[in-house]
Amino acid sequence: MSAPLRRPERADMASQVIKCKAAVAWEAGKPLSIEEIEVAPPKAHEVRIKIMATAVCHTDAYTLSGADPEGCFPVILGHEGAGIVESVGEGVTKLKAGDTVIPLYIPQCGECKFCLNPKTNLCQKIRVTQGKGLMPDGTSRFTCKGKTILHYMGTSTFSEYTVVADISVAKIDPLAPLEKVCLLGCGISTGYGAAVNTAKVEPGSVCAVFGLGGVGLAVIMGCKVAGASRIIGVDINKDKFARAKEFGATECINPQDFSKPIQEVLIEMTDGGVDYSFECIGNVKVMRAALEACHKGWGVSVVVGVAASGEEIATRPFQLVTGRTWKGTAFGGWKSVESVPKLVSEYMSKKIKVDEFVTHNLSFDEINKAFELMHSGKSIRTVVKI
């Protein structure tokens, strides 16, 4: 058993600047640098959180690479974290110091037309400032060596302390292990929701999941929970097949083992195509294959992976005319503030897996190694203890 994560003991610091460690991305394409930063107190409708654990996701690496058109530097990355509220700003009513929380990169204000529409989870209340790496008032709470450091995805979990908008926080069960449930801040929730919310997989369905990383495994888990009868995993790395089967895949195939396009292989395997397919890579050619592997008349393909900026998808319109549907999902369709606590409860009651996604645990000083493990394909999720 690892030692329990310590809770913050800084009630006297609620209105003060906190000096702490953070992993700063000074510029694109360079490793993160562990620095001492200053974290300002929360302003109105903001919350300062002591981050206890964070995971590293492909989205962090995408921004760090310089390919993200919204990527701004210097910045504190990280969006799969969990921690304890250290202090709250003026007007915050639903959270208090000591609450156990998960920061959310998609907020839920409950008031905008997106929040009021049951068809979407894409709250737009703070979208513009969040995309610029700023708090809703247009400023940052982070400084380092006299320079302003930007926020990331409204969360910035690669820091001992972070400040987030109060609408970007889910209050969760205080008994939940933070070094596990931090994963519900992005990858697991995204894949699981793609199956149960976006596709709405039905019992007896035949499904195909393209890309067997963390998100793909979560999709498989969602398909299994929904009662799918066949779940076919598709990946060019056969080392991922055993774990996919542990999560519920009934069979796995490698496109490189066939001379014909993978969509044709799947159509033959499934007597006409799958009921539901999921692209969990971010590759536009695979997105086409996933759609074209769907059954005529009713097949649904969900785009889960995020393609690089400027990429476009293509297929013949006849694919859609003949009854296939192409959909996309962000954070699995979950309305975040209300849904993440329920997902934590599902984990605590063993309805969904979380522990099994964690392949490596590292100290904060080793955070760059987490990126190396991800790029090498050796990890599903690496959790960094802050």
Side-chain angles (χ1 to χ4, degrees):
M1 288 290 288
S2 58
L5 297 172
R6 284 186 309 126
R7 309 255 154 175
E9 296 161 11
R10 300 197 178 189
D12 57 322
M13 300 186 68
S15 61
Q16 297 176 29
V17 170
I18 288 178
K19 288 189 174 181
C20 68
K21 280 201 304 185
V24 177
W26 288 106
E27 56 183 300
K30 297 281 175 68
L32 303 182
S33 177
I34 303 290
E35 306 279 5
E36 182 178 81
I37 65 160
E38 296 83 40
V39 183
K43 294 189 181 178
H45 295 288
E46 296 177 2
V47 179
R48 188 160 61 182
I49 300 167
K50 166 79 175 98
I51 297 292
M52 299 301 212
T54 185
V56 176
C57 170
H58 275 94
T59 313
D60 301 305
Y62 172 60
T63 301
L64 185 59
S65 74
D68 182 355
E70 271 198 353
C72 303
F73 298 87
V75 65
I76 295 171
L77 299 172
H79 65 284
E80 263 188 1
I84 311 292
V85 174
E86 177 270 339
S87 59
V88 301
E90 188 186 332
V92 176
T93 57
K94 294 177 181 173
L95 297 153
K96 64 184 185 306
D99 283 348
T100 304
V101 295
I102 291 177
L104 306 165
Y105 67 89
I106 294 182
Q108 186 184 357
C109 73
E111 297 168 352
C112 71
K113 70 178 180 180
F114 290 81
C115 283
L116 294 173
N117 190 322
K119 294 179 180 177
T120 185
N121 63 327
L122 298 175
C123 173
Q124 297 295 290
K125 184 77 175 278
I126 59 174
R127 179 74 195 92
V128 174
T129 50
Q130 181 172 312
K132 294 175 180 172
L134 300 169
M135 294 300 290
D137 73 345
T139 64
S140 168
R141 302 292 161 268
F142 300 130
T143 52
C144 180
K145 299 177 180 173
K147 294 191 175 77
T148 296
I149 308 294
L150 296 169
H151 295 251
Y152 178 66
M153 292 178 74
T155 53
S156 290
T157 60
F158 293 173
S159 176
E160 290 181 330
Y161 286 86
T162 189
V163 179
V164 305
D166 62 353
I167 59 172
S168 303
V169 183
K171 181 180 173 182
I172 64 165
D173 182 347
L175 298 177
L178 300 186
E179 69 276 17
K180 299 292 193 291
V181 296
C182 60
L183 299 190
L184 293 171
C186 179
I188 297 178
S189 303
T190 297
Y192 181 54
V196 301
N197 294 333
T198 309
K200 294 185 169 62
V201 171
E202 300 122 337
S205 302
V206 176
C207 302
V209 180
F210 292 74
L212 302 177
V215 173
L217 293 176
V219 171
I220 289 171
M221 178 172 72
C223 293
K224 185 179 180 182
V225 167
S229 62
R230 278 181 87 184
I231 304 169
I232 305 165
V234 184
D235 202 295
I236 57 173
N237 181 353
K238 65 181 187 303
D239 295 342
K240 295 185 174 180
F241 292 176
R243 185 174 267 111
K245 289 178 180 174
E246 289 169 18
F247 275 82
T250 53
E251 58 226 276
C252 294
I253 56 175
N254 182 344
Q256 294 175 339
D257 291 344
F258 303 91
S259 56
K260 62 178 81 168
I262 195 65
Q263 51 267 53
E264 292 181 25
V265 174
L266 284 160
I267 287 167
E268 286 179 15
M269 284 176 67
T270 57
D271 187 28
V274 300
D275 301 311
Y276 298 98
S277 70
F278 302 85
E279 199 279 354
C280 306
I281 303 162
N283 180 316
V284 293
K285 290 186 170 63
V286 180
M287 291 174 192
R288 178 174 190 160
L291 176 82
E292 295 178 359
C294 285
H295 202 289
K296 182 188 287 188
W298 63 77
V300 175
S301 187
V302 180
V303 174
V304 192
V306 178
S309 174
E311 295 270 21
E312 296 182 349
I313 49 173
T315 192
R316 293 179 181 169
F318 196 65
Q319 292 284 336
L320 303 180
V321 170
T322 52
R324 296 170 191 83
T325 303
W326 222 343
K327 302 179 85 169
T329 189
F331 196 55
W334 301 108
K335 285 186 182 281
S336 58
V337 172
E338 66 190 52
S339 301
V340 168
K342 294 174 186 171
L343 290 167
V344 170
S345 297
E346 287 192 7
Y347 159 67
M348 298 291 277
S349 65
K350 296 190 164 50
K351 182 183 175 185
I352 61 172
K353 297 177 191 283
V354 172
D355 298 15
E356 292 83 354
F357 287 85
V358 181
T359 51
H360 298 78
N361 289 280
L362 297 174
S363 68
F364 197 11
D365 292 335
E366 298 175 296
I367 192 163
N368 286 304
K369 188 180 174 190
F371 284 85
E372 293 164 19
L373 286 165
M374 183 171 61
H375 290 309
S376 71
K378 289 175 183 166
S379 67
I380 299 299
R381 275 295 189 274
T382 299
V383 172
V384 178
K385 302 272 182 73
I386 302 293

